[in-house]
Amino acid sequence: MTEKERIAATRMIPPAIPVGRVARLEDIATRVGVSRSEVSRVLNNRVREGRSVGRVKQEMIWSVAKELGYQPNRTAQNLARGKTDTVGLIVKLDSSRELYPHYHEIVGALTYTLNEWGLNLLLVQCDDDPAPCLERLARARTCDAVIITDMQVDDPRPDHLERLGLPFLIRGSAPRTGLTAVGMDNETVGYKAVEFLRRFGHRRILFHNVGRTFMAGQRRYQGFTKAVEEFALTETVTYEDQVYKEEEMYALTRRLIAGADAPTAIFAADEMAAFGVFRALADAGLRVPEDVSVLTCLNARFMRRLNPRMSVINVRQEEVASEAGRLLARMLRGDSVEARQTFLSPILEEHGSCAPPPPH
């Protein structure tokens, strides 16, 4: 821009913008002396070489837009691009409408990570039959992609989403090859739980698992079986995967500790199950870890406030979710992302709730 043009630009008298109204493309166009469409093209980096305004006018448009505090209409931009800048997280709530504790880690990590990529997170409720929900999402274009979690062994959602053409990523273990997934190595979780308790000398162990209809439960069972066979514990270990809720785990624990071959160590599949175990032991007058050792899984922050603190196999929910969010954001940006399973490794954290079994 020449000095003469700069002086002319500074002498332009801008039209008054009514108090309380944000600057619009028309305001910039009037100020610079070009059409609204030209302003839109410049600000959206869609300048047509040789057909749009020259470099001087482009600089003036950017300068005036900054001076007036112009903010683009993201809704209009997204409509033009056919994008929503939104990622859906598929959840399934029962009539209690309660999210399991680990979802707080997942939602927090995804919201923060996606925001760094200019994306928003939308929670989407799906019922037992996911087809209507997914079809509704695809038809309404509510989001650009979805994240599916709590994968089942015969999960139909990947096939539905592929047929609908809606991009997706799995947070967890993929039910088949050829899918993009980020999850925890749950086979190692199952193995490590048994190996850790056996290291203290425990043989009578209650291993509580999530249902084997879930990919996480199936993989934990594989690790559990491998460890039990390796350490010759087949005759002394009790396996359970049909108990889910805290009260059910409480009842199971009370029943088992009253038996002749009561477990000296308990692995609880998640925090809520661990709460049931702790209450059952306390009500029976048993101490942790002097009488019974307790190990659990996951890493919800509220568990770190228990006293005594509980030893855990940290499955790094926050890190898994963050990595899933980054990978999906790259997919939406158009980066080449290999369709494969990525596993993070669990971390064993000892906090004093496990000890050798009491002497006979």
Side-chain angles (χ1 to χ4, degrees), residues 297-324:
C297 202
L298 302 182
N299 64 329
R301 288 186 178 88
F302 72 82
M303 293 298 289
R304 303 166 197 172
R305 297 181 173 87
L306 288 180
N307 188 22
R309 292 189 66 189
M310 194 178 303
S311 296
V312 299
I313 298 179
N314 188 337
V315 291
R316 304 162 64 185
Q317 296 283 2
E318 184 175 339
E319 295 172 66
V320 171
S322 294
E323 181 59 26

Side-chain angles (χ1 to χ4, degrees), residues 228-283:
V228 166
E229 292 176 353
E230 180 177 332
F231 302 126
L233 300 174
T234 306
E235 301 299 323
T236 58
V237 168
T238 301
Y239 177 85
E240 175 60 57
D241 64 11
Q242 297 301 305
V243 169
Y244 303 104
K245 298 183 183 295
E246 179 184 349
E247 290 300 327
E248 295 173 340
M249 195 63 184
Y250 174 91
L252 173 66
T253 303
R254 289 300 302 265
R255 178 170 59 82
L256 291 178
I257 61 177
D261 296 320
T264 60
I266 298 174
F267 171 71
D270 58 32
E271 295 99 327
M272 300 313 295
F275 276 139
V277 171
F278 261 57
R279 288 199 300 110
L281 295 176
D283 289 352

